Amino acid sequence: MKPLADEQIVRHLRRAGAVAERAMAMARHPFGALLLAPDGETVLAEQGNIDTVNHAESTLARTAAANYPGAYLAQCTLVTTFEPCAMCAGTIYWAGIGRVLYGAQESQLLALTGSHPENPTLSLPCREVFARGQRAVEVIGPVAAVCDDMLAPHQGFWRR
């Protein structure tokens, strides 16, 4: 898997943020994800959040698994605005995606959502989920340079 330069990391996370903004414009939760090809540049797919059980990351991982062979996905990167929840981390693992890049931590999201019934956050870091598996998933994140950008769409959203 090709290493990602700092410039690429920030650029791809900002694009995932734009996907999250589009999801919010469609009255969905503001989360976004991308799937990068092994070259670290080509965006194979984009996905915004659909609903409480069809998160951007899990939906994208399922679609990727249905369309690309496992050996290829092992070289791909899933880019997401927030740290994948336990459900999404499990789906990413089972899809065979080799790397995850996220902007902000799930704990930061919890600070904004509180006990909102549409986002019952699990306190289970994705690194812990991946560590229980039989194959490695590289994790990059949180990324301080874009953290405020990832949090911005959520400011006030969960009070609606």
Side-chain angles (χ1 to χ4, degrees):
M1 190 168 355
K2 190 173 184 179
L4 296 174
D6 290 345
E7 175 275 325
Q8 288 176 296
I9 288 170
V10 169
R11 183 167 32 88
H12 291 313
L13 283 167
R14 288 202 170 120
R15 183 165 174 177
V19 174
E21 297 267 352
R22 284 198 313 264
M24 188 169 67
M26 293 186 292
R28 295 178 175 166
H29 301 160
F31 299 98
L34 314 171
L35 183 66
L36 298 179
D39 66 5
E41 271 306 312
T42 306
V43 176
L44 300 170
E46 295 182 340
Q47 181 66 56
N49 219 60
I50 297 171
D51 57 34
T52 304
V53 295
N54 291 291
H55 295 180
E57 303 93 333
S58 60
T59 301
L60 184 60
R62 283 191 302 273
T63 301
N67 287 283
Y68 296 101
Y72 184 76
L73 288 175
Q75 300 301 309
C76 291
T77 302
L78 189 141
V79 180
T80 180
T81 52
F82 279 85
E83 179 178 10
C85 71
M87 174 183 70
C88 291
T91 308
I92 291 164
Y93 176 82
W94 286 108
I97 296 168
R99 178 167 52 201
V100 171
L101 164 61
Y102 70 87
Q105 290 176 295
E106 187 160 351
S107 60
Q108 293 173 291
L109 178 63
L110 177 59
L112 294 173
T113 63
S115 61
H116 196 288
E118 292 180 22
N119 196 50
T121 305
L122 289 168
S123 182
L124 182 58
C126 70
R127 283 179 172 89
E128 285 187 38
V129 175
F130 296 138
R132 303 280 194 252
Q134 295 178 2
R135 67 170 183 80
V137 177
E138 179 185 351
V139 179
I140 302 169
V143 178
V146 297
C147 192
D148 288 344
D149 295 338
M150 302 299 108
L151 293 167
H154 296 268
Q155 303 291 342
F157 178 87
W158 299 98
R159 286 185 229 125
R160 297 178 190 174

